[in-house]
Amino acid sequence: MDRIRIRGGRPLKGSVPISGAKNAALPLMAAALLSEGELSLRRVPRLADIATMAALLGQHGVQVLPEAPPSAGPLGQTLRLNAANILSTRAPYDIVRKMRASVLVLGPLLARMGRAEVSLPGGCAIGTRPVDLHIAGLAKLGASIELVDGYIRASAPGGLKGAVVRLPKVSVGATENLLMAASLAKGTTVLENAAREPEIADLAHCLVAMGARIDGIGSDLMTIEGVPTLRGADYSVMPDRIECGTYAVAAAITGGELLLDGARAELMESTIGALVEAGAEVASEPAGLRVRGRLRPRPGDITTAPYPGFATDMQAQMMALAAVAEGASVLTETIFENRFMHVPELLRLGADIRVSGAAALVRGVDHLVGAPVMATDLRASVSLVLAGLVARGETIVNRIYHLDRGYERLEAKLVACGADIERFSA
Ligand code: EPZ
């Protein structure tokens, strides 16, 4: 079992190449199912979740070919996806349970093939993660859907029909599934209260490159004119704003200075605002974002919200920063019901945190002390790495397979900026 050992106390200095966004690449890969043409995706990060999606698509009959020769460059990989021959419309439980984003094949399969049988994903560490909004939306587009033996069994033999779909709750995945399905539906679909995360705009731009007709990209009201078929395209994945925010916190928490190469400030306004409130200096440069930490962070209250609010995927990272701030902060998690799994582990490092319902009161301490800790989910695990970078002594992070799902070459990127961090097996 791989672990990570970190010896804290070194201010990070240097530049970090930001990879393509995991949460854009996953729906973009699923979009390949919509077309008989070849979809070429550039800047795809080398992550466990990407490999899982490639395996899932492969068992549907999609050819997923890495570029040859594989580039070792920092800017990810190019994947060529060809879904000319779909062999199966069933997404099995043993893959879906490993990665919830597997549910994103539901809309494309239904739209392209008129049927799909996708395992219910089940819950995960951060919550029950239902998919009722996906199902209700697809039913509005004319699909008949039943839940049988833990599977979503959907069919639309005559094809999907455009409709007005008002999402009762903001959902990234439901918006993505419905956007892809509507692209091939007959007639016009209006998505109301659509999620506005930048990864959805990235998906929409790629669908337009494939021939889809979408208005209102980036807003909470999208209108999609269905087309009979979609062609292949060549598309480059947007940079990962959450990876970028994570390294920005690394600069702030260690009192160092990092250039986040390839970052796009306009996608991270809420994160930048929180970092500036914590006393970091953040400057946009042609190459990306420069973040400079101060001796000790200032406290600040944060409440997560759908984009453009503060990203729930940055909450754990900001809690690590708050843990060493010169005062008390309140972090409120409004998106997921169980996204404080990093708290007991941060307490092991000497943090002073009290959770009451959806709110965590974090009283900054003078310093953290390294200890063995346990990763529980992707963002919780990276918050432990951030805490270890500033803790006195040695921190061992266990179960780092969680990290590998969402952070490409984490140790290498940190070592290049002066961190004392290494992966080892034990
Ligand atoms: C996406 O998950 C991201 N994953 C998550 O990132 C991210 O935290 C989340 O959006 C919120 O921004 C990917 O893009 C692959 P939601 P998703 O549907 O689509 C409830 C990471 O760390 N809900 O916007 O699953 C749901 O339970 C991951 O990279 C329903 O009730 O999130 C949650 O409380 C973690 N019914 C809220 O809505 C539904 O049908 C938001 O979920 C769907 C969702």
Side-chain angles (χ1 to χ4, degrees), residues 22-24 26-27 49 99-104 124 126-136 167 169-176 195 197 199-200 240-242 305-307 311-314 317 333-337 339 377-380 405-407:
K22 165 179 83 82
N23 290 351
L26 292 170
D49 273 8
M99 185 184 65
R100 301 185 32 71
S102 306
V103 75
L104 294 173
C124 74
I126 62 178
T128 55
R129 311 289 296 274
V131 290
D132 56 312
L133 302 177
H134 301 238
I135 291 169
L167 284 156
K169 179 174 188 179
V170 174
S171 162
V172 171
T175 301
E176 290 167 341
E197 271 66 8
E199 292 74 24
I200 293 166
D240 193 317
R241 63 190 169 98
I242 304 301
Y307 192 89
T312 175
D313 292 350
M314 282 297 305
Q317 297 91 313
E333 173 57 60
T334 70
I335 306 293
F336 290 108
E337 66 267 28
R339 204 168 196 177
D377 60 270
L378 171 55
R379 308 304 175 180
R405 294 190 53 176
Y407 287 92

Side-chain angles (χ1 to χ4, degrees), residues 217-375:
I217 295 176
S219 80
D220 62 359
L221 181 71
M222 282 192 282
T223 303
I224 304 103
E225 293 295 337
V227 293
T229 59
L230 289 172
R231 56 180 178 266
D234 186 330
Y235 193 78
S236 186
V237 180
M238 65 178 276
D240 193 317
R241 63 190 169 98
I242 304 301
E243 182 199 27
C244 184
T246 302
Y247 287 109
V249 172
I253 203 168
T254 61
E257 176 174 337
L258 293 178
L259 173 66
L260 306 174
D261 191 354
R264 284 172 42 192
E266 72 275 16
L267 303 179
M268 325 173 31
E269 288 179 4
S270 61
T271 297
I272 292 171
L275 286 166
V276 168
E277 186 182 358
E281 290 172 30
V282 183
S284 208
E285 298 184 357
L289 213 54
R290 183 172 297 278
V291 181
R292 186 178 297 121
R294 67 197 295 266
L295 276 183
R296 187 148 175 218
R298 286 198 290 263
D301 295 345
I302 282 169
T303 299
T304 64
Y307 192 89
F310 188 86
T312 175
D313 292 350
M314 282 297 305
Q315 178 256 111
Q317 297 91 313
M318 289 303 287
M319 190 179 289
L321 188 63
V324 292
E326 54 193 11
S329 309
V330 175
L331 282 77
T332 306
E333 173 57 60
T334 70
I335 306 293
F336 290 108
E337 66 267 28
N338 187 34
R339 204 168 196 177
F340 285 145
M341 306 279 277
H342 40 291
V343 169
E345 302 306 310
L346 290 171
L347 294 178
R348 285 182 50 74
L349 300 176
D352 178 351
I353 306 170
R354 280 165 180 60
V355 172
S356 170
L361 170 62
V362 185
R363 289 189 180 87
V365 295
D366 177 59
H367 63 273
L368 297 174
V369 179
V373 288
M374 185 78 71

Side-chain angles (χ1 to χ4, degrees), residues 35-124:
S35 164
E36 292 186 3
E38 179 170 284
L39 176 61
S40 177
L41 295 177
R42 302 171 189 281
R43 281 189 65 149
V44 178
R46 293 179 183 80
L47 298 170
D49 273 8
I50 298 297
T52 302
M53 181 61 85
L56 175 63
L57 293 173
Q59 63 89 44
H60 286 307
V62 179
Q63 266 199 330
V64 184
L65 301 172
E67 66 185 346
S71 74
L75 289 184
Q77 56 184 324
T78 296
L79 292 183
R80 292 164 40 224
L81 298 99
N82 189 311
N85 304 306
I86 290 179
L87 306 176
S88 160
T89 57
R90 178 180 170 90
Y93 174 65
D94 66 335
I95 297 183
V96 176
R97 69 181 173 81
K98 282 194 293 187
M99 185 184 65
R100 301 185 32 71
S102 306
V103 75
L104 294 173
V105 302
L106 176 60
L109 281 172
L110 188 55
R112 169 90 184 279
M113 303 299 288
R115 66 184 184 283
E117 196 175 353
V118 176
S119 169
L120 281 165
C124 74

